[in-house]
Amino acid sequence: MKHVTILVPDVQTANSTIACIVGAYQVFTGANAYWQEQGKAPLFTIETAGVAEESTFINGLLTFKPQVNIASLQRTDLILIPSITPAFEQAVQGNVLLIDWLRQQYKNGAEVASMCTGAFILASSGLLEKRSCSIHWNSANHFRALFPDIQLKTEKLITDERGIYTNGGGYSFLNLLLYLVEKYYDRETAIYCSKIFQIELDRQTQSTFAIFTGQKSHSDDVVKDAQQYLEDHFHEKISVEDLSKRFAVGRRNFDRRFIKATGNTPLEYLQRIKVESAKKAFETTRKTVNEVMYEVGYSDVKAFREVFRKVTGMSPLAYRNRYNKEALPHQL
């Protein structure tokens, strides 16, 4: 029988930490139960493990007692890291012990999956080096600042590289759990868990839920000024060439500095500003897709659709119909 370990962090926890722990325990327990109903032996022994006898969550509202101490677990097959505080700065106290244990277990053959901001712990272990990673879109800028060499894929709901798994934000950790159930059990069991726990199966992206606020936690004042200019004039026709001239920086150097500071090219940044403005219009007004398109500075329907879908994973009309209950079914 395989062993799955659900980690219980001792410090830097968040309200969502307990949800990840309980959710993971429940889904894998459900998968085991389904296998038993099919006449098969349970696939996993499921245990919560930590470094302290108990951990406190939600300002003392809940106390959780791990079933085992990690020191007693010499070997496991799958490790699940729950979300932690988005304000993570560095591994401290008990979490350092968890990280050391993670490294050793992965070296021994265990696979490791982080849920939401649990990616901060995973990244601190060094196991994400030369791998891609997903995390809650709202924590992406902070993650990039702490781990600039890790390839962040915030549009992806799940990443899977050589036994290391990460996922996006919030309760999308449930989709990661279904993914792991299908990988370790089978598709039939994943479908069963999807129905029992009412989790949408096969979600691939979290782009639809992202809110773009810009990345300004950097020290390049020229880029900050350029960002502000783009945000103030996004509805106008702006060329990157003219933008670099406005701030007296050569085009190639301007692009390089902009990407280093924000994670986006100037054009990508402008597109995301336009799309964010369009999203708000679709959510709060009864304007047609054409009306919103012109307001945010597009005149070509095909180009607007392609950029909007690239950023959100949905067409403008589909987004409008999903998030604005009062919108009439206008046709483009």
Side-chain angles (χ1 to χ4, degrees):
M1 187 181 295
K2 294 181 180 293
H3 187 278
V4 59
T5 303
I6 306 171
L7 292 186
V8 182
D10 186 41
V11 291
Q12 296 177 315
T13 60
N15 292 358
S16 57
T17 308
I18 194 72
C20 289
I21 294 170
V22 174
Y25 194 92
Q26 193 169 11
V27 168
F28 273 88
T29 299
N32 266 351
Y34 180 72
W35 262 41
Q36 286 182 288
E37 291 174 4
Q38 308 309 307
K40 304 175 184 178
L43 185 61
F44 277 105
T45 296
I46 308 158
E47 287 188 307
T48 58
V51 296
E53 291 187 2
E54 62 180 36
S55 296
T56 302
F57 300 91
I58 316 178
N59 297 321
L61 180 63
L62 294 173
T63 299
F64 195 97
K65 295 183 177 181
Q67 292 168 293
V68 297
N69 190 290
I70 59 170
S72 67
L73 279 175
Q74 299 303 312
R75 189 173 182 87
T76 187
D77 297 285
L78 175 63
I79 302 167
L80 303 178
I81 307 171
S83 63
I84 57 172
T85 174
F88 181 91
E89 291 298 334
Q90 61 180 355
V92 297
Q93 300 176 32
N95 284 348
V96 172
L97 298 176
L98 290 180
I99 286 168
D100 291 341
W101 183 80
L102 272 176
R103 291 194 197 100
Q104 187 59 47
Q105 290 301 318
Y106 183 72
K107 183 178 179 180
N108 292 342
E111 296 195 328
V112 184
S114 67
M115 297 178 267
C116 190
T117 47
F120 283 114
I121 290 181
L122 185 55
S124 297
S125 72
L127 296 179
L128 282 176
E129 289 183 9
K130 297 182 180 180
R131 291 180 173 88
S132 59
C133 170
S134 186
I135 198 171
H136 196 295
W137 56 264
N138 202 33
S139 297
N141 291 339
H142 182 44
F143 187 92
R144 286 192 185 98
L146 291 177
F147 307 103
D149 296 329
I150 295 176
Q151 189 177 13
L152 202 55
K153 301 280 190 178
T154 53
E155 76 281 2
K156 288 186 174 293
L157 196 71
I158 296 169
T159 65
D160 176 351
E161 293 187 27
R162 302 194 301 277
I164 299 290
Y165 310 88
T166 68
N167 95 281
Y171 282 80
S172 71
F173 75 86
L174 295 169
N175 300 99
L176 172 64
L177 295 176
L178 287 187
Y179 182 86
L180 293 172
V181 166
E182 180 172 356
K183 189 157 189 174
Y184 276 95
Y185 293 81
D186 54 27
R187 177 72 174 180
E188 182 180 339
T189 307
I191 292 173
Y192 170 80
C193 290
S194 171
K195 293 180 177 180
I196 286 294
F197 299 112
Q198 299 189 31
I199 308 167
E200 183 180 350
L201 195 62
D202 296 329
R203 270 187 60 203
Q204 300 296 322
T205 178
Q206 63 174 344
S207 298
T208 305
F209 302 101
I211 300 172
F212 183 65
T213 57
Q215 206 294 68
K216 296 180 181 175
S217 57
H218 58 81
S219 58
D220 194 323
D221 290 336
V222 171
V223 173
K224 286 182 180 178
D225 289 342
Q227 289 175 269
Q228 192 61 54
Y229 182 86
L230 289 173
E231 291 167 14
D232 293 340
H233 300 85
F234 69 87
H235 53 283
E236 302 173 8
K237 187 174 181 179
I238 302 174
S239 75
V240 179
E241 190 70 36
D242 290 341
L243 190 65
S244 64
K245 289 179 180 178
R246 173 178 288 275
F247 294 97
V249 181
R251 171 63 190 274
R252 182 175 295 181
N253 188 35
F254 181 75
D255 285 353
R256 180 187 60 78
R257 288 172 62 174
F258 203 100
I259 293 170
K260 181 179 179 181
T262 71
N264 295 117
T265 67
L267 179 58
E268 289 170 341
Y269 196 88
L270 178 60
Q271 289 174 338
R272 296 197 66 180
I273 294 169
K274 289 176 179 288
V275 169
E276 192 61 31
S277 180
K279 285 164 57 181
K280 291 177 181 176
F282 289 141
E283 293 163 4
T284 60
T285 74
R286 296 168 66 91
K287 294 175 181 177
T288 66
V289 172
N290 275 340
E291 288 172 328
V292 172
M293 176 186 71
Y294 289 122
E295 282 187 1
V296 300
Y298 282 95
S299 57
D300 182 273
V301 174
K302 183 179 179 182
F304 178 60
R305 281 176 173 165
E306 288 178 351
V307 170
F308 194 94
R309 185 181 290 278
K310 176 184 176 183
V311 173
T312 69
M314 301 176 69
S315 71
L317 187 61
Y319 187 93
R320 176 175 162 277
N321 290 340
R322 174 179 289 188
Y323 290 105
N324 191 331
K325 291 183 178 180
E326 296 183 0
L328 295 174
H330 294 297
Q331 298 299 314
L332 191 61

